Amino acid sequence: MEPFQRYVLLVILVSFVHHISASVTHYSIPEEMKEGSVVANLATDLSLDVKTLKQRKMRLDIITNKKYLDVNKETGELYVAEKIDRENICTTKSSASCYLRLEVTLENPVRIFNIEVEILDMNDNAPQFRRDIIHLDISEATPKGERFSLSNAVDPDVGSNSVKTYHLSESDLFDIEVQTVRDGSKFAELILTKGLDREQQAVHHLILTAVDGGTPPRSGTASVIVRVLDTNDNAPTFDKISYNIQIMENSPIGSLVIHLNATDLDEGSNSDLTYSYSLYTSEKTQETFHLNPSTGEITVKGMLNYEDFRIYDMEVIATDKGANSLSGQCTIKILVEDMNDNHPEISIKSFQSPVNENIELDTVIAVVSVSDKDSGDNGVVDLHIPDNMPFKLRESSDNYYELVVSEPLDREKVPEYDITFTVTDRGSPPLSDNETMTLELLDVNDNVPQFSQSFYTIRVMENNAPGALLSSLTAFDPDLHENQYLVYFILEKEIANTSMSMLFSINPENGNLYALKTFDYEIEKDFLFHIEARDSGSPPLSSNVTVHIIIVDQNDNAPVIVSPWRAHGSVVEEKIPRSTEKGSLVAKVIALDTDSVHNSRITYQFLQVTDATLFSLDQYNGEIRTMRMFSYRDPRHQRLVVIAKDNGEPALSATVTIKLSTMETAVKAFSDMTEVPLEYDIFSDLNLYLVIGLGSVSFLLLITILVTIVLKCQKVKPSKAAAPCRNSVISERNSTIADSTLVSNDAYWYSLFLAETRKGKLVVRQPVPKGSRYIVSSLPRGTGLTDTSDSAASTLQVRGQK
């Protein structure tokens, strides 16, 4: 294993040993880690449940312009998402520490964790000079021992990994000395060790190397070019003594004729040259051609005409700018040649515009003729149009061309074409001419309207105002004029013999959807229908979209107390013996709420209670039980006010007042009854009445159910010791009430029946011999018993003395 690899593994092992402070979790990792490398397990370190990370919408926010780190929501692992370069993150070298600051956010409940990841420096950057080439101009008269500052090298790494020293390539004329400044950075000075002689060597090439202190060390180099300056001792010279140049007539003004190049072996101002005409150059030549004094370029200044003037002679002098200037000269002869100076011509014979976008292929759009007055190759012409167009040229006869459609046209993509006809001859140089025609396309209704979504889900709060705007369902048609004018319709659909147009309305012009009535979540929970957008083209085109209206529940129904039942505004009066045991069921409050599941969740509380130590109330099932036995100090009458509150915002509630009276003697004979088991078939019929009774708060309906129950009980065969019976049977599901003992009047029977029948049992009262208390039993459903017997009774029994 290489030393560098061992170093990376050691840093990774050390970095995973982190500590969690009071508010920030710290990690350390080396830079340049591979993508996908695991930094830590946030779920473990932050004591989070991995199974809930995705549900709680765990996300990682990093305070930087790149997402270097990310978190795996399946495992809770923090991993490297993008290669980390410490030098890109921390550009300043004032501090050796470099951090990435992260925020881990979770919802339900919201928790935010702050994380700092320290990026440890590695020697991954070599020293680099600001300039790859350092130029120095030194006069050959410079004495030895003279010093020259060189550009220093920079290393983005910090500490011992930064620049440590400099080296110079082998030279018998130069040496270097390393200097250190206050901030710790180092730079080199070049020292001249011997005198320079330009005639022996004009330029010296050196290599300056900067080395850092890393392990292994890295280095960077720069070329040092030392140019030796000399005196003006060389005259300028041209490449040739004489030049013969040919140029075409009618050459444009500014055309380059020749670029003269004179050279001077000297340096600096001694080699800067100025070009000029000599006295032997005629005024006609100087008026026709321009000589640039700085560059030596000769360009056309006047009109060249072969018939007027064919030969131009000139002499050009190059002079340097030394203190004692030197010069050189050359002669130039320019010959004017005849050229192709007639342009070809274009004539549009016919042009059809505008045309329909659905025009057929190979249809002729235009007829064009071309001509050129020149002869030979200069008179042969070619006609072209741009290659990126859906048209082509077809030659019909000599110099006549037809422009035809070669590809299908689409106005929605390109509404018009600027077609440029270019004609070019075959002369040297070729001449050309062009003419541009605009072809307009007429719209055809070939695009159906398009909605921005294929399915719209709109949530509407119940109890909305009629006429309320629900949403704007707009479509787009790229066609023009009447082909893009859209009309919106609701496609008819009946729900419960009610048409959609009676519930909703849409503006046919802009697609605004309105509600025509007030919706009630308890009656209507959602609607599904279609909306059509149709353009005004001929024939018209259309498309439709599905709209799903979801009625959102409001807490607009207060709980209704159905047990213990009482007339409006009345108080429920109950009697219980003072000998009632601790934990006995006194009463059970049952309330119903027709709102949605969330809003209809009922909780029960005592609003008023005569003695808070005597009774307890289960907040979820409404059971009122004794917390202790009655004592002689307890008042005979107890007043309990129970409030049933739903889970809505704001919460709605209902109350019931129960007046309890305690008695020393047994219950009187007017309610003397005992239970007999009923056949399961009877219970099944009564269960239907119970469901109806619990769904209604009507007093009349409840009385009807009770009468029906009595009539059913009369059909049951009584026991040997029992008289004809009067039954009360009420069934409800999912009760959590355990079997218990009750001694009470009719109101308590009602609560007892609810509790026992929830467990699938039936409780029936029948008269017993005078002087006895109630014998209360429960019968599991499906026992198959059809006759009342002592063996059928179970769990609930209170037997009195005869």
Short mmCIF file of all heavy atoms in Angstrom, two decimals, residues 591-645:
data_model
loop_
_atom_site.label_atom_id
_atom_site.label_comp_id
_atom_site.label_asym_id
_atom_site.label_seq_id
_atom_site.Cartn_x
_atom_site.Cartn_y
_atom_site.Cartn_z
N ALA A 591 -72.36 9.49 22.74
CA ALA A 591 -72.65 10.61 21.85
C ALA A 591 -72.24 10.25 20.44
O ALA A 591 -71.28 9.49 20.23
CB ALA A 591 -71.94 11.88 22.31
N LEU A 592 -72.97 10.79 19.46
CA LEU A 592 -72.67 10.57 18.04
C LEU A 592 -72.41 11.90 17.36
O LEU A 592 -72.99 12.91 17.71
CB LEU A 592 -73.82 9.84 17.35
CG LEU A 592 -74.18 8.45 17.88
CD1 LEU A 592 -75.37 7.90 17.12
CD2 LEU A 592 -72.99 7.51 17.78
N ASP A 593 -71.49 11.87 16.34
CA ASP A 593 -71.17 13.08 15.57
C ASP A 593 -71.11 12.68 14.11
O ASP A 593 -70.40 11.74 13.75
CB ASP A 593 -69.83 13.67 16.03
CG ASP A 593 -69.60 15.07 15.47
OD1 ASP A 593 -69.90 15.30 14.29
OD2 ASP A 593 -69.10 15.94 16.22
N THR A 594 -71.84 13.37 13.25
CA THR A 594 -71.94 12.98 11.84
C THR A 594 -70.82 13.56 10.98
O THR A 594 -70.82 13.38 9.77
CB THR A 594 -73.29 13.43 11.26
OG1 THR A 594 -73.42 14.85 11.42
CG2 THR A 594 -74.43 12.72 11.96
N ASP A 595 -69.88 14.31 11.59
CA ASP A 595 -68.77 14.85 10.81
C ASP A 595 -67.80 13.72 10.44
O ASP A 595 -68.01 12.56 10.79
CB ASP A 595 -68.03 15.94 11.61
CG ASP A 595 -68.83 17.23 11.65
OD1 ASP A 595 -69.44 17.56 10.61
OD2 ASP A 595 -68.87 17.89 12.70
N SER A 596 -66.70 14.11 9.75
CA SER A 596 -65.71 13.13 9.30
C SER A 596 -65.01 12.51 10.50
O SER A 596 -65.17 12.95 11.64
CB SER A 596 -64.68 13.81 8.39
OG SER A 596 -63.97 14.79 9.11
N VAL A 597 -64.19 11.50 10.20
CA VAL A 597 -63.57 10.71 11.27
C VAL A 597 -62.78 11.61 12.22
O VAL A 597 -62.88 11.48 13.44
CB VAL A 597 -62.64 9.64 10.65
CG1 VAL A 597 -61.89 8.91 11.75
CG2 VAL A 597 -63.45 8.67 9.82
N HIS A 598 -62.00 12.55 11.65
CA HIS A 598 -61.18 13.39 12.52
C HIS A 598 -62.04 14.29 13.40
O HIS A 598 -61.81 14.41 14.61
CB HIS A 598 -60.24 14.24 11.66
CG HIS A 598 -59.41 15.20 12.46
ND1 HIS A 598 -58.30 14.80 13.17
CD2 HIS A 598 -59.55 16.54 12.66
CE1 HIS A 598 -57.80 15.85 13.78
NE2 HIS A 598 -58.52 16.91 13.47
N ASN A 599 -63.05 14.92 12.80
CA ASN A 599 -63.88 15.87 13.56
C ASN A 599 -64.87 15.17 14.48
O ASN A 599 -65.40 15.79 15.41
CB ASN A 599 -64.64 16.79 12.61
CG ASN A 599 -63.72 17.73 11.86
OD1 ASN A 599 -62.69 18.13 12.39
ND2 ASN A 599 -64.05 18.06 10.63
N SER A 600 -65.17 13.89 14.24
CA SER A 600 -66.21 13.21 15.01
C SER A 600 -65.65 12.37 16.15
O SER A 600 -66.37 11.62 16.77
CB SER A 600 -67.03 12.30 14.07
OG SER A 600 -66.21 11.27 13.55
N ARG A 601 -64.36 12.50 16.43
CA ARG A 601 -63.77 11.76 17.55
C ARG A 601 -64.24 12.39 18.86
O ARG A 601 -63.96 13.56 19.12
CB ARG A 601 -62.25 11.76 17.43
CG ARG A 601 -61.56 10.78 18.36
CD ARG A 601 -60.07 10.76 18.10
NE ARG A 601 -59.81 10.39 16.71
CZ ARG A 601 -58.90 10.99 15.97
NH1 ARG A 601 -58.20 11.98 16.44
NH2 ARG A 601 -58.72 10.60 14.72
N ILE A 602 -64.96 11.64 19.68
CA ILE A 602 -65.61 12.17 20.88
C ILE A 602 -64.78 11.85 22.11
O ILE A 602 -64.25 10.74 22.26
CB ILE A 602 -67.03 11.58 21.04
CG1 ILE A 602 -67.85 11.80 19.75
CG2 ILE A 602 -67.74 12.20 22.24
CD1 ILE A 602 -68.10 13.23 19.42
N THR A 603 -64.65 12.85 22.99
CA THR A 603 -64.08 12.63 24.32
C THR A 603 -65.07 13.15 25.36
O THR A 603 -65.82 14.11 25.10
CB THR A 603 -62.73 13.35 24.47
OG1 THR A 603 -62.92 14.75 24.20
CG2 THR A 603 -61.69 12.79 23.52
N TYR A 604 -65.07 12.52 26.53
CA TYR A 604 -66.03 12.83 27.58
C TYR A 604 -65.29 13.38 28.80
O TYR A 604 -64.19 12.91 29.15
CB TYR A 604 -66.81 11.57 27.99
CG TYR A 604 -67.53 10.90 26.83
CD1 TYR A 604 -66.91 9.93 26.06
CD2 TYR A 604 -68.84 11.26 26.51
CE1 TYR A 604 -67.56 9.33 25.01
CE2 TYR A 604 -69.50 10.66 25.45
CZ TYR A 604 -68.86 9.69 24.71
OH TYR A 604 -69.51 9.09 23.67
N GLN A 605 -65.92 14.39 29.43
CA GLN A 605 -65.36 14.99 30.64
C GLN A 605 -66.51 15.37 31.58
O GLN A 605 -67.63 15.64 31.15
CB GLN A 605 -64.54 16.25 30.31
CG GLN A 605 -63.31 15.99 29.47
CD GLN A 605 -62.61 17.30 29.11
OE1 GLN A 605 -63.13 18.38 29.37
NE2 GLN A 605 -61.43 17.16 28.53
N PHE A 606 -66.18 15.37 32.89
CA PHE A 606 -67.12 15.92 33.87
C PHE A 606 -67.09 17.43 33.77
O PHE A 606 -66.01 18.05 33.88
CB PHE A 606 -66.75 15.48 35.28
CG PHE A 606 -67.26 14.11 35.65
CD1 PHE A 606 -66.42 13.18 36.24
CD2 PHE A 606 -68.59 13.76 35.40
CE1 PHE A 606 -66.88 11.93 36.57
CE2 PHE A 606 -69.05 12.50 35.73
CZ PHE A 606 -68.20 11.58 36.30
N LEU A 607 -68.23 18.02 33.56
CA LEU A 607 -68.32 19.48 33.61
C LEU A 607 -68.64 19.93 35.03
O LEU A 607 -68.10 20.93 35.52
CB LEU A 607 -69.40 19.97 32.63
CG LEU A 607 -69.41 21.45 32.32
CD1 LEU A 607 -68.08 21.87 31.69
CD2 LEU A 607 -70.55 21.78 31.34
N GLN A 608 -69.51 19.17 35.69
CA GLN A 608 -69.82 19.40 37.10
C GLN A 608 -70.00 18.04 37.75
O GLN A 608 -70.53 17.10 37.15
CB GLN A 608 -71.11 20.23 37.27
CG GLN A 608 -71.01 21.67 36.76
CD GLN A 608 -72.31 22.42 36.95
OE1 GLN A 608 -73.19 21.96 37.67
NE2 GLN A 608 -72.41 23.56 36.31
N VAL A 609 -69.57 17.92 39.03
CA VAL A 609 -69.74 16.69 39.78
C VAL A 609 -69.85 17.05 41.25
O VAL A 609 -69.09 17.89 41.76
CB VAL A 609 -68.58 15.71 39.52
CG1 VAL A 609 -67.26 16.29 39.91
CG2 VAL A 609 -68.83 14.40 40.25
N THR A 610 -70.83 16.44 41.94
CA THR A 610 -71.04 16.76 43.35
C THR A 610 -69.84 16.34 44.18
O THR A 610 -69.37 17.10 45.02
CB THR A 610 -72.32 16.07 43.85
OG1 THR A 610 -73.41 16.46 43.02
CG2 THR A 610 -72.60 16.44 45.29
N ASP A 611 -69.33 15.16 43.93
CA ASP A 611 -68.18 14.67 44.69
C ASP A 611 -67.21 14.04 43.69
O ASP A 611 -67.49 12.98 43.12
CB ASP A 611 -68.64 13.65 45.73
CG ASP A 611 -67.49 13.25 46.66
OD1 ASP A 611 -66.33 13.58 46.35
OD2 ASP A 611 -67.78 12.60 47.70
N ALA A 612 -66.07 14.70 43.47
CA ALA A 612 -65.11 14.22 42.47
C ALA A 612 -64.42 12.95 42.90
O ALA A 612 -63.83 12.25 42.06
CB ALA A 612 -64.06 15.30 42.20
N THR A 613 -64.51 12.59 44.19
CA THR A 613 -63.83 11.37 44.66
C THR A 613 -64.71 10.15 44.57
O THR A 613 -64.28 9.04 44.84
CB THR A 613 -63.37 11.55 46.12
OG1 THR A 613 -64.53 11.68 46.97
CG2 THR A 613 -62.51 12.80 46.25
N LEU A 614 -65.97 10.35 44.20
CA LEU A 614 -66.93 9.24 44.23
C LEU A 614 -67.10 8.58 42.87
O LEU A 614 -67.32 7.37 42.78
CB LEU A 614 -68.28 9.76 44.74
CG LEU A 614 -69.37 8.70 45.00
CD1 LEU A 614 -68.86 7.63 45.97
CD2 LEU A 614 -70.62 9.37 45.55
N PHE A 615 -66.96 9.38 41.78
CA PHE A 615 -67.23 8.83 40.45
C PHE A 615 -66.04 9.11 39.52
O PHE A 615 -65.36 10.15 39.65
CB PHE A 615 -68.50 9.46 39.85
CG PHE A 615 -69.73 9.21 40.67
CD1 PHE A 615 -70.23 10.22 41.50
CD2 PHE A 615 -70.38 7.99 40.63
CE1 PHE A 615 -71.35 10.02 42.25
CE2 PHE A 615 -71.51 7.78 41.39
CZ PHE A 615 -72.00 8.79 42.20
N SER A 616 -65.83 8.22 38.58
CA SER A 616 -64.83 8.41 37.53
C SER A 616 -65.52 8.30 36.17
O SER A 616 -66.52 7.58 36.04
CB SER A 616 -63.72 7.36 37.63
OG SER A 616 -64.23 6.07 37.35
N LEU A 617 -64.94 9.00 35.19
CA LEU A 617 -65.51 9.02 33.83
C LEU A 617 -64.41 8.67 32.85
O LEU A 617 -63.37 9.36 32.81
CB LEU A 617 -66.09 10.40 33.50
CG LEU A 617 -66.55 10.61 32.05
CD1 LEU A 617 -67.68 9.65 31.69
CD2 LEU A 617 -67.00 12.05 31.84
N ASP A 618 -64.61 7.61 32.05
CA ASP A 618 -63.65 7.25 31.00
C ASP A 618 -63.83 8.22 29.84
O ASP A 618 -64.92 8.30 29.27
CB ASP A 618 -63.89 5.81 30.54
CG ASP A 618 -62.76 5.31 29.66
OD1 ASP A 618 -62.51 5.96 28.62
OD2 ASP A 618 -62.14 4.29 30.00
N GLN A 619 -62.78 8.93 29.52
CA GLN A 619 -62.91 10.00 28.51
C GLN A 619 -63.15 9.46 27.11
O GLN A 619 -63.51 10.22 26.21
CB GLN A 619 -61.64 10.88 28.51
CG GLN A 619 -60.39 10.16 28.08
CD GLN A 619 -59.21 11.11 27.92
OE1 GLN A 619 -59.42 12.29 27.65
NE2 GLN A 619 -57.99 10.60 28.10
N TYR A 620 -62.92 8.17 26.88
CA TYR A 620 -63.07 7.64 25.53
C TYR A 620 -64.37 6.86 25.33
O TYR A 620 -64.97 6.94 24.25
CB TYR A 620 -61.88 6.74 25.19
CG TYR A 620 -60.57 7.48 25.18
CD1 TYR A 620 -59.60 7.24 26.15
CD2 TYR A 620 -60.32 8.46 24.22
CE1 TYR A 620 -58.40 7.94 26.15
CE2 TYR A 620 -59.13 9.17 24.21
CZ TYR A 620 -58.17 8.91 25.18
OH TYR A 620 -57.00 9.60 25.17
N ASN A 621 -64.83 6.08 26.33
CA ASN A 621 -66.06 5.32 26.12
C ASN A 621 -67.23 5.85 26.93
O ASN A 621 -68.34 5.32 26.83
CB ASN A 621 -65.83 3.83 26.42
CG ASN A 621 -65.40 3.57 27.86
OD1 ASN A 621 -65.68 4.37 28.75
ND2 ASN A 621 -64.71 2.46 28.09
N GLY A 622 -67.02 6.88 27.77
CA GLY A 622 -68.12 7.52 28.49
C GLY A 622 -68.66 6.74 29.66
O GLY A 622 -69.74 7.06 30.16
N GLU A 623 -67.96 5.72 30.16
CA GLU A 623 -68.45 4.96 31.29
C GLU A 623 -68.26 5.74 32.59
O GLU A 623 -67.17 6.28 32.84
CB GLU A 623 -67.70 3.63 31.40
CG GLU A 623 -68.01 2.66 30.27
CD GLU A 623 -67.25 1.37 30.45
OE1 GLU A 623 -66.44 1.29 31.39
OE2 GLU A 623 -67.47 0.44 29.65
N ILE A 624 -69.32 5.79 33.38
CA ILE A 624 -69.26 6.40 34.71
C ILE A 624 -69.28 5.26 35.72
O ILE A 624 -70.22 4.46 35.76
CB ILE A 624 -70.43 7.36 34.95
CG1 ILE A 624 -70.44 8.48 33.88
CG2 ILE A 624 -70.37 7.96 36.35
CD1 ILE A 624 -71.62 9.40 33.98
N ARG A 625 -68.22 5.16 36.54
CA ARG A 625 -68.11 4.10 37.53
C ARG A 625 -67.83 4.69 38.91
O ARG A 625 -67.34 5.83 39.03
CB ARG A 625 -67.00 3.13 37.17
CG ARG A 625 -67.27 2.32 35.89
CD ARG A 625 -66.13 1.37 35.59
NE ARG A 625 -66.41 0.59 34.40
CZ ARG A 625 -67.02 -0.60 34.41
NH1 ARG A 625 -67.44 -1.11 35.58
NH2 ARG A 625 -67.24 -1.26 33.29
N THR A 626 -68.16 3.91 39.91
CA THR A 626 -67.88 4.34 41.29
C THR A 626 -66.41 4.11 41.57
O THR A 626 -65.82 3.11 41.19
CB THR A 626 -68.72 3.55 42.29
OG1 THR A 626 -68.49 2.15 42.08
CG2 THR A 626 -70.21 3.85 42.10
N MET A 627 -65.81 5.12 42.23
CA MET A 627 -64.41 5.02 42.62
C MET A 627 -64.25 4.44 44.02
O MET A 627 -63.14 4.05 44.41
CB MET A 627 -63.74 6.40 42.54
CG MET A 627 -63.72 6.99 41.13
SD MET A 627 -63.08 8.68 41.10
CE MET A 627 -61.42 8.40 41.70
N ARG A 628 -65.35 4.42 44.75
CA ARG A 628 -65.35 3.84 46.11
C ARG A 628 -66.80 3.53 46.47
O ARG A 628 -67.74 3.87 45.75
CB ARG A 628 -64.73 4.82 47.10
CG ARG A 628 -65.45 6.16 47.17
CD ARG A 628 -64.80 7.06 48.19
NE ARG A 628 -65.38 8.38 48.19
CZ ARG A 628 -66.52 8.73 48.78
NH1 ARG A 628 -67.22 7.80 49.43
NH2 ARG A 628 -66.97 9.97 48.74
N MET A 629 -67.00 2.90 47.61
CA MET A 629 -68.35 2.63 48.09
C MET A 629 -68.91 3.88 48.75
O MET A 629 -68.17 4.77 49.20
CB MET A 629 -68.34 1.48 49.09
CG MET A 629 -67.99 0.12 48.45
SD MET A 629 -68.21 -1.24 49.60
CE MET A 629 -69.99 -1.20 49.82
N PHE A 630 -70.23 3.99 48.79
CA PHE A 630 -70.88 5.12 49.46
C PHE A 630 -70.67 5.02 50.97
O PHE A 630 -70.65 3.93 51.56
CB PHE A 630 -72.38 5.14 49.15
CG PHE A 630 -72.70 5.53 47.74
CD1 PHE A 630 -72.86 4.56 46.74
CD2 PHE A 630 -72.80 6.87 47.39
CE1 PHE A 630 -73.14 4.92 45.45
CE2 PHE A 630 -73.10 7.22 46.09
CZ PHE A 630 -73.26 6.27 45.13
N SER A 631 -70.51 6.18 51.57
CA SER A 631 -70.43 6.27 53.04
C SER A 631 -71.64 7.06 53.55
O SER A 631 -72.36 7.70 52.78
CB SER A 631 -69.12 6.93 53.46
OG SER A 631 -69.12 8.29 53.07
N TYR A 632 -71.79 7.02 54.87
CA TYR A 632 -72.94 7.72 55.46
C TYR A 632 -72.82 9.23 55.32
O TYR A 632 -73.79 9.95 55.40
CB TYR A 632 -73.10 7.33 56.93
CG TYR A 632 -71.98 7.87 57.82
CD1 TYR A 632 -72.12 9.10 58.50
CD2 TYR A 632 -70.80 7.15 57.98
CE1 TYR A 632 -71.10 9.57 59.29
CE2 TYR A 632 -69.79 7.62 58.77
CZ TYR A 632 -69.94 8.85 59.45
OH TYR A 632 -68.94 9.33 60.22
N ARG A 633 -71.57 9.73 55.05
CA ARG A 633 -71.39 11.17 54.88
C ARG A 633 -71.80 11.63 53.48
O ARG A 633 -72.03 12.82 53.27
CB ARG A 633 -69.93 11.55 55.10
CG ARG A 633 -69.43 11.35 56.52
CD ARG A 633 -68.04 11.96 56.66
NE ARG A 633 -67.49 11.74 57.97
CZ ARG A 633 -66.74 10.70 58.33
NH1 ARG A 633 -66.47 9.77 57.42
NH2 ARG A 633 -66.29 10.57 59.55
N ASP A 634 -71.82 10.74 52.54
CA ASP A 634 -72.13 11.14 51.17
C ASP A 634 -73.59 11.55 51.08
O ASP A 634 -74.48 10.88 51.62
CB ASP A 634 -71.89 9.98 50.20
CG ASP A 634 -70.42 9.63 50.12
OD1 ASP A 634 -69.59 10.56 50.22
OD2 ASP A 634 -70.11 8.42 49.95
N PRO A 635 -73.88 12.67 50.41
CA PRO A 635 -75.27 13.10 50.26
C PRO A 635 -76.05 12.07 49.46
O PRO A 635 -75.51 11.33 48.62
CB PRO A 635 -75.15 14.42 49.51
CG PRO A 635 -73.83 14.41 48.89
CD PRO A 635 -72.94 13.60 49.76
N ARG A 636 -77.34 12.07 49.67
CA ARG A 636 -78.20 11.09 49.02
C ARG A 636 -78.34 11.36 47.54
O ARG A 636 -78.48 10.44 46.76
CB ARG A 636 -79.57 11.12 49.70
CG ARG A 636 -80.54 10.09 49.10
CD ARG A 636 -81.85 10.13 49.82
NE ARG A 636 -82.77 9.19 49.22
CZ ARG A 636 -84.04 9.04 49.62
NH1 ARG A 636 -84.49 9.78 50.62
NH2 ARG A 636 -84.84 8.17 49.03
N HIS A 637 -78.29 12.65 47.16
CA HIS A 637 -78.46 13.01 45.75
C HIS A 637 -77.12 13.48 45.18
O HIS A 637 -76.44 14.32 45.80
CB HIS A 637 -79.50 14.11 45.60
CG HIS A 637 -80.86 13.71 46.09
ND1 HIS A 637 -81.67 12.81 45.42
CD2 HIS A 637 -81.53 14.08 47.23
CE1 HIS A 637 -82.78 12.64 46.09
NE2 HIS A 637 -82.73 13.39 47.20
N GLN A 638 -76.75 12.92 44.05
CA GLN A 638 -75.52 13.29 43.35
C GLN A 638 -75.90 13.86 41.96
O GLN A 638 -76.71 13.26 41.25
CB GLN A 638 -74.61 12.08 43.15
CG GLN A 638 -74.19 11.40 44.43
CD GLN A 638 -73.12 12.20 45.17
OE1 GLN A 638 -72.39 12.98 44.55
NE2 GLN A 638 -73.07 12.04 46.50
N ARG A 639 -75.29 15.01 41.62
CA ARG A 639 -75.57 15.66 40.32
C ARG A 639 -74.30 15.60 39.45
O ARG A 639 -73.26 16.15 39.83
CB ARG A 639 -76.00 17.10 40.52
CG ARG A 639 -76.47 17.78 39.23
CD ARG A 639 -77.07 19.15 39.56
NE ARG A 639 -77.58 19.80 38.37
CZ ARG A 639 -76.86 20.63 37.61
NH1 ARG A 639 -75.59 20.87 37.93
NH2 ARG A 639 -77.40 21.19 36.55
N LEU A 640 -74.41 14.92 38.31
CA LEU A 640 -73.27 14.78 37.39
C LEU A 640 -73.62 15.46 36.06
O LEU A 640 -74.65 15.17 35.47
CB LEU A 640 -72.96 13.31 37.12
CG LEU A 640 -72.76 12.41 38.34
CD1 LEU A 640 -72.50 10.98 37.89
CD2 LEU A 640 -71.64 12.92 39.22
N VAL A 641 -72.76 16.40 35.63
CA VAL A 641 -72.92 17.05 34.32
C VAL A 641 -71.75 16.60 33.45
O VAL A 641 -70.58 16.89 33.78
CB VAL A 641 -72.95 18.59 34.43
CG1 VAL A 641 -73.11 19.21 33.04
CG2 VAL A 641 -74.08 19.03 35.36
N VAL A 642 -72.06 15.89 32.37
CA VAL A 642 -71.03 15.34 31.48
C VAL A 642 -71.08 16.11 30.16
O VAL A 642 -72.15 16.33 29.60
CB VAL A 642 -71.25 13.85 31.23
CG1 VAL A 642 -70.19 13.30 30.27
CG2 VAL A 642 -71.21 13.08 32.55
N ILE A 643 -69.90 16.50 29.68
CA ILE A 643 -69.79 17.17 28.38
C ILE A 643 -69.11 16.22 27.39
O ILE A 643 -68.11 15.58 27.71
CB ILE A 643 -69.00 18.49 28.50
CG1 ILE A 643 -68.94 19.19 27.12
CG2 ILE A 643 -67.59 18.28 29.04
CD1 ILE A 643 -68.36 20.59 27.18
N ALA A 644 -69.70 16.09 26.22
CA ALA A 644 -69.13 15.30 25.11
C ALA A 644 -68.62 16.29 24.07
O ALA A 644 -69.39 17.07 23.52
CB ALA A 644 -70.17 14.37 24.51
N LYS A 645 -67.33 16.23 23.81
CA LYS A 645 -66.68 17.23 22.95
C LYS A 645 -66.04 16.51 21.76
O LYS A 645 -65.38 15.48 21.93
CB LYS A 645 -65.61 17.98 23.74
CG LYS A 645 -64.98 19.16 22.99
CD LYS A 645 -63.88 19.79 23.83
CE LYS A 645 -64.43 20.34 25.14
NZ LYS A 645 -63.36 21.02 25.92
#
